[in-house]
């Protein structure tokens, strides 16, 4: 079978397709024959050695949101999973013809759900839903979604509507991305590359924003804190700028709350609730209420091209790899 790894840090060209044996599932694992792989911008920072979270150990391999059919079941995993179409967050070696996945965190893909939407059911959609709920979004409240044209962002705008938001304000880096965000549920679009973007948000929400979903980092975090209404909540879950933010205590003394969210920490702390939310999201996908936009679908051997698209600031929606 084929898999994609890198043996040095650098541009997309360091991604190499290599031949290897099909792995055997260990205890609690399943072997999945890949149908599609949802790629992530975060892996471009690991590959390039620029991630604010540090360098991975070489050889490196991208993670991914894999959709496929369970071919074999390891000891301790449910034998009934054999033959099921599932979605799974896979790390390492997600870019491959066959992958190993943790049986405890599979999502059974409902009939009729396309590969792009299926690919968000294991990680991107659970993150989008949980950051909204970590922010305790209440019906009628105003939510500010940063990077709203990204994989998680365009899901968060849809889910904010489902969760009852009164106004959804989206930020993105271009007019085309803002139009994309509006198509997925945003009421107001603000270009965060504009120097006066905070003033544009204030004009849209004169009383302040109730919930901010923050995944950019750097100065954007501090500026977003200043946009919160009294008792407003900011949830930080990423640093797309490559810069982790400093949050001065003085910013939170005026009745503002800052929370952090990480999917693996959430699953470890509340496993049953995390699984229930994954099932809930699968139901929304089956009903057609939650859909993922796919910009490009490329063959596995074009993994480098997929990373080029991920690094393109004009990209909207998912980039999929297929065997």
């Amino acid at each position: 079978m084929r898999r994609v790894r890198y043996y040095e840090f650098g541009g997309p060209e360091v991604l190499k397709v290599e031949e290897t044996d099909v792995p055997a599932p260990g205890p609690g694992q399943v072997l999945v024959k890949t149908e599609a792989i949802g790629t992530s911008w975060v892996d471009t920072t690991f590959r390039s050695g620029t991630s604010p979270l540090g360098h991975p150990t070489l050889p490196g391999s991208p993670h991914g949101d894999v959709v496929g059919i369970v071919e074999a079941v390891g000891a301790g995993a449910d034998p009934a999973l054999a033959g099921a179409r599932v979605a799974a967050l896979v790390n390492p070696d997600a870019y491959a013809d066959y992958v190993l996945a943790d049986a405890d965190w599979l999502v059974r893909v409902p009939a009729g759900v396309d590969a792009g939407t299926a690919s968000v059911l294991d990680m991107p959609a659970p993150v989008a839903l949980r950051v909204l709920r970590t922010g305790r979004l209440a019906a009628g409240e105003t939510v500010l979604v940063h990077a709203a044209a990204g994989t998680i962002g365009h899901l968060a705008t849809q889910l904010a509507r489902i969760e009852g938001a009164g106004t959804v304000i989206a930020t993105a880096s271009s007019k085309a991305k803002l139009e994309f965000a509006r198509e997925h549920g945003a009421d107001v679009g603000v270009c965060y590359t504009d120097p006066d973007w905070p003033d544009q948000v204030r004009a849209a929400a004169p009383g302040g924003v109730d919930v901010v979903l923050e995944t950019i980092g750097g100065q954007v975090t501090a500026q977003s804190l200043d946009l919160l209404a009294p008792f407003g909540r900011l949830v930080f879950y990423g640093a797309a700028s490559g810069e982790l933010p400093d949050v001065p205590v003085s910013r939170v003394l005026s009745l503002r709350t800052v929370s952090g969210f990480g999917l693996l920490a959430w699953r470890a702390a509340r496993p049953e609730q995390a699984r229930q939310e994954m099932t809930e999201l699968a139901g929304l996908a089956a009903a057609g209420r939650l859909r993922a936009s796919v910009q490009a679908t490329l063959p596995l051997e074009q993994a480098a091209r997929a990373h080029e698209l991920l690094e393109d600031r004009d990209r909207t929606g998912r980039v999929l790899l297929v065997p």
Side-chain angles (χ1 to χ4, degrees):
M1 70 164 215
R2 299 165 301 165
R3 71 181 178 197
V4 176
R5 286 186 168 184
Y6 53 94
Y7 292 84
E8 60 181 317
F9 299 116
E13 71 280 356
V14 303
L15 294 173
K16 305 299 182 185
V17 180
E18 60 187 28
E19 291 289 333
T20 189
D21 295 332
V22 175
Q29 292 183 319
V30 296
L31 176 70
V32 177
K33 184 178 181 181
T34 302
E35 173 189 340
I37 305 147
T39 61
S40 170
W41 174 85
V42 172
D43 276 302
T44 70
T45 68
F46 287 126
R47 184 215 70 229
S48 62
T50 60
S51 171
L53 302 178
H55 292 183
T57 302
L58 294 174
S61 63
H63 83 287
D65 306 309
V66 176
V67 180
I69 303 297
V70 175
E71 291 273 308
V73 177
D78 183 357
L81 288 169
R85 185 176 183 233
V86 299
L89 174 61
V90 173
N91 187 28
D93 292 327
Y95 295 12
D97 292 313
Y98 292 85
V99 301
L100 295 177
D102 184 344
D104 285 342
W105 293 105
L106 298 175
V107 181
R108 287 181 177 263
V109 178
V113 173
D114 64 273
T117 299
S119 77
V120 304
L121 296 178
D122 65 307
M123 188 278 284
V127 170
L129 180 61
R130 182 36 49 186
V131 292
L132 283 163
R133 290 181 175 175
T134 298
R136 306 187 309 280
L137 177 67
E141 287 191 323
T142 298
V143 58
L144 172 62
V145 181
H146 282 303
T151 297
I152 295 174
H154 88 291
L155 299 172
T157 58
Q158 296 174 63
L159 290 167
R161 284 288 178 220
I162 292 170
E163 292 286 286
T167 302
V168 180
I169 303 173
T171 75
S173 60
S174 69
K175 290 182 178 179
K177 285 186 172 185
L178 292 175
E179 181 57 34
F180 175 85
R182 291 187 185 94
E183 292 170 357
H184 287 84
D187 298 294
V188 179
V190 174
C191 186
Y192 62 72
T193 60
D194 291 346
D196 68 340
W197 75 262
D199 291 332
Q200 296 180 46
V201 174
R202 290 186 182 95
V209 174
D210 298 297
V211 179
V212 176
L213 307 186
E214 215 303 72
T215 187
I216 299 175
Q219 287 301 309
V220 170
T221 305
Q223 291 171 307
S224 298
L225 272 170
D226 288 340
L227 296 172
L228 287 174
F231 303 103
R233 292 84 66 195
L234 182 147
V235 184
F236 181 78
Y237 67 103
S241 68
E243 183 182 352
L244 294 174
D246 291 322
V247 180
V249 173
S250 60
R251 286 302 214 297
V252 300
L253 292 177
S254 54
L255 303 178
R256 295 160 175 161
T257 301
V258 178
S259 301
F261 177 79
L263 181 65
L264 297 183
W266 165 245
R267 287 179 173 179
R270 296 286 188 273
E272 292 307 315
Q273 189 174 352
R275 291 187 185 94
Q276 289 170 7
E277 290 184 347
M278 293 166 78
T279 300
E280 179 183 354
L281 290 160
L284 290 173
R289 300 182 66 196
L290 181 69
R291 294 188 62 84
S293 174
V294 176
Q295 180 192 31
T297 301
L298 302 170
L300 182 64
E301 58 268 24
Q302 292 187 24
R305 175 57 182 157
H307 274 221
E308 290 174 357
L309 291 175
L310 291 171
E311 293 175 324
D312 184 346
R313 303 300 292 180
D314 290 331
R315 177 184 61 87
T316 57
R318 297 229 81 173
V319 176
L320 298 182
L321 289 172
V322 297

